[in-house]
């Protein structure tokens, strides 16, 4: 699974495809709404990896499936999760939505 942000600037996916492609395209599908969009990416290589750079239009907390194609042939498929949280080891789906109470009143009431 690849982790991307909501940034409108160019982000990159580092993958190992089934074969090399001259001009790959990415089909991005939102898993919650099932809407798809096609993205044209710029390709570079780093060793055996294909690095695809593009500007993605992503929503916070959403999962996407993506397929990389060379023409009509699919050469890679994977998942993307979009988050702006910096510390992924402590990722929380409830960030800024749940506040725990800091004081407790454990007094016994005897009637």
């Amino acid at each position: 699974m690849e982790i991307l942000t909501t940034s409108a600037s160019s982000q990159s996916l580092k993958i190992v495809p089934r074969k090399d492609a001259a001009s790959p395209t990415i089909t991005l599908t939102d898993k919650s709404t099932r809407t798809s969009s096609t993205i044209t990416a710029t390709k570079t290589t780093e060793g055996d990896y294909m690095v695809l750079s593009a500007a993605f239009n992503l929503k916070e907390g959403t999962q996407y499936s993506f397929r990389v194609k060379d023409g009509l042939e699919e050469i890679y498929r994977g998942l993307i999760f979009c988050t702006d949280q910096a510390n992924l080891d402590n990722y929380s789906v409830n960030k800024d939505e749940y506040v725990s109470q800091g004081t407790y009143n454990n007094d016994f009431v005897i009637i």
Side-chain angles (χ1 to χ4, degrees):
M1 178 177 288
E2 305 286 333
I3 308 292
L4 297 179
T5 65
T6 58
S7 173
S9 63
S10 182
Q11 301 181 69
S12 59
L13 298 170
K14 191 173 184 179
I15 63 171
V16 179
R18 295 182 186 122
K19 70 172 205 165
D20 195 24
S23 57
T25 58
I26 301 171
T27 304
L28 192 66
T29 305
D30 186 329
K31 292 187 82 169
S32 60
T33 62
R34 295 284 184 204
T35 56
S36 296
S37 61
T38 302
I39 299 168
T40 303
T42 58
K43 179 196 106 164
T44 57
T45 56
E46 290 181 15
D48 292 333
Y49 293 98
M50 179 186 290
V51 181
L52 301 173
S53 299
F56 298 92
N57 184 14
L58 305 175
K59 292 181 281 185
E60 171 75 25
T62 306
Q63 285 189 354
Y64 299 88
S65 63
F66 72 97
R67 296 174 184 222
V68 179
K69 292 184 178 181
D70 180 25
L72 297 174
E73 184 179 5
E74 184 177 295
I75 59 172
Y76 188 84
R77 65 171 73 168
L79 294 173
I80 293 173
F81 183 70
C82 176
T83 182
D84 286 333
Q85 292 187 30
N87 189 356
L88 296 177
D89 291 335
N90 296 326
Y91 176 77
S92 172
V93 294
N94 296 325
K95 185 174 189 281
D96 299 330
E97 291 184 20
Y98 175 77
V99 179
S100 62
Q101 184 176 355
T103 61
Y104 300 97
N105 185 358
N106 290 334
D107 295 337
F108 290 100
V109 177
I110 299 175
I111 301 179

